[in-house]
Amino acid sequence: MTVAIPSAHREVRLAARPQGALRTDHFHVVEVPVPEPGPGQVLVRNRLMSVVAVMRTLMQGEADLPMPPYEPGQALWGPAIGEVIAAPGTDLSPGDLVEHRHGWREYAAVDVAGVQLIDPEAMPDVAAHLSQGVTAWLGIVRAAEVRKGDTVFVTGAAGGVGSLAGQFARLRGATRVIGSTGSQRKGEYLIKELGYDAVVIRGARPIEDQLREAAPDGIDAVFDNVGGEQLSAALAVARRGARVALVGSLSGQLSGGFSAPVEIDTGSLILRGITLRGMSGSDHLDAIPQAMREFGRALREGTIIFPHTRLSGIDQAPRALCELLQGRHIGAVLVEL
């Protein structure tokens, strides 16, 4: 069946580099001609896209990250799932579902090497392909090496990564899982819906005091997605031989940076035999197929849920990112196009 292709579509552009809190007026939603695929390209009609905190950092233009920054006046980009509309001279066919990096627009002409064909049977909900489940799995399994009987602390536990990391820790045999978050409402969700045993509320009292109460015998493994005070507290409470996975730096990213400095007592870490390990997905490409299989199986069996919020329409994408950075939602934030 031939699909009618409109002459124009909408895309979201960065209006100016933000200073301070991100606002929706830092973006423009503009109408532009639908691109025509060139040699070796496919035309994709985007159906879902995700927004993540690192997008705020990319708006600064100076972050030391292995990806290009956003430029004012240009369309943003990010993870998306779409339907192939035209794929001349390629092995793809109209109707195929693919994942790619050209979100923030309704249609995209993408190099065939930049799309990943999606197996509709791999996940019970195709949206899970846009989750950060692989990052959560790698951080728990490869970096923190969570083991049976561990007490585990997950920072940023209500976010897209943390909401899955705590669940993976439980599946790995952790007997006590503690999460940090920014509100009592989120803390109650973590305990009632995601199986956390205790929570630490940012801003309520000193993090270290709360963490010592939640883990009186100490912590065996840390999944740190925040940095700053929360990582300092985790290191202070860590048991001998603890493994600390450094996965994110939300305390810096929310204001547009990536640095989250922490003062470390090197002697104390040496005497306690504590391991700190930075975790980048690009260093664990060999494990991604296993992570996807285990994530999909857990979703089908109901041993893990995928917390997320969906907003509808490309014009809602700026609001979605602003609300993510404000901590308005639990889990991943997706936009349906």
Side-chain angles (χ1 to χ4, degrees):
M1 181 178 66
T2 302
V3 177
I5 302 174
S7 60
H9 74 127
R10 293 174 297 171
E11 66 181 25
V12 182
R13 295 180 177 179
L14 182 64
R17 297 204 186 281
Q19 301 296 322
L22 187 68
R23 305 185 307 273
T24 56
D25 61 6
H26 286 122
F27 305 86
H28 289 316
V29 181
V30 300
E31 188 170 283
V32 295
V34 170
E36 294 187 10
Q41 290 189 321
V42 297
L43 180 65
V44 179
R45 167 69 169 97
N46 285 334
R47 299 299 185 188
L48 278 169
M49 56 171 273
S50 68
V51 296
V52 291
V54 73
M55 292 174 172
R56 177 64 181 84
T57 305
L58 293 174
M59 293 176 188
Q60 295 303 110
E62 300 175 354
D64 186 18
L65 294 173
M67 56 189 79
Y70 297 136
E71 298 295 339
Q74 300 297 315
L76 283 73
W77 53 269
I81 289 173
E83 176 187 356
V84 173
I85 301 299
T90 75
D91 293 332
L92 294 170
S93 302
D96 285 344
L97 284 180
V98 294
E99 184 177 355
H100 60 89
R101 306 291 294 181
H102 291 258
W104 295 86
R105 67 204 77 193
E106 293 173 318
Y107 283 82
V110 187
D111 291 343
V112 68
V115 302
Q116 178 69 44
L117 185 64
I118 288 177
D119 176 5
E121 304 300 320
M123 300 286 175
D125 180 353
V126 70
H129 286 277
L130 290 179
S131 77
Q132 292 165 292
V134 168
T135 300
W137 188 95
L138 290 173
I140 289 295
V141 176
R142 282 276 179 106
E145 298 179 354
V146 171
R147 304 163 187 167
K148 186 176 181 180
D150 277 351
T151 293
V152 179
F153 179 44
V154 178
T155 66
V161 181
S163 62
L164 295 169
Q167 297 182 77
F168 277 125
R170 185 72 75 193
L171 287 182
R172 296 291 292 183
T175 55
R176 186 164 179 80
V177 182
I178 304 161
S180 71
T181 189
S183 71
Q184 193 63 44
R185 175 184 69 88
K186 290 183 177 180
E188 291 174 358
Y189 181 90
L190 292 177
I191 292 173
K192 294 178 180 178
E193 304 296 332
L194 301 186
Y196 278 78
D197 298 289
V199 293
V200 168
I201 306 298
R202 187 181 69 252
R205 287 187 293 123
I207 297 293
E208 183 177 335
D209 292 348
Q210 296 183 65
L211 192 53
R212 288 191 182 280
E213 292 175 7
D217 296 324
I219 297 168
D220 301 293
V222 178
F223 183 105
D224 180 52
N225 200 39
V226 176
E229 180 193 2
Q230 298 189 44
L231 176 57
S232 294
L235 294 176
V237 181
R239 289 164 53 87
R240 177 170 181 78
R243 294 87 57 202
V244 181
L246 306 177
V247 183
S249 59
L250 281 173
S251 61
Q253 285 179 304
L254 296 182
S255 59
F258 192 71
S259 176
V262 174
E263 183 175 326
I264 293 178
D265 183 345
T266 305
S268 175
L269 300 185
I270 292 171
L271 292 174
R272 288 182 287 155
I274 293 174
T275 300
L276 275 66
R277 180 177 294 152
M279 204 289 294
S280 172
S282 60
D283 294 329
H284 300 275
L285 297 179
D286 63 301
I288 290 178
Q290 181 184 356
M292 290 291 288
R293 286 193 304 271
E294 294 196 14
F295 184 36
R297 182 171 62 249
L299 288 172
R300 286 190 296 273
E301 294 174 349
T303 53
I304 278 183
I305 63 173
F306 170 38
H308 66 283
T309 298
R310 300 193 195 202
L311 287 77
S312 182
I314 187 72
D315 55 311
Q316 296 299 306
R319 179 167 75 91
L321 181 55
C322 290
E323 290 182 350
L324 169 76
L325 296 173
Q326 293 162 4
R328 296 274 298 276
H329 302 294
I330 293 174
V333 179
L334 309 178
V335 178
E336 291 184 306
L337 308 179

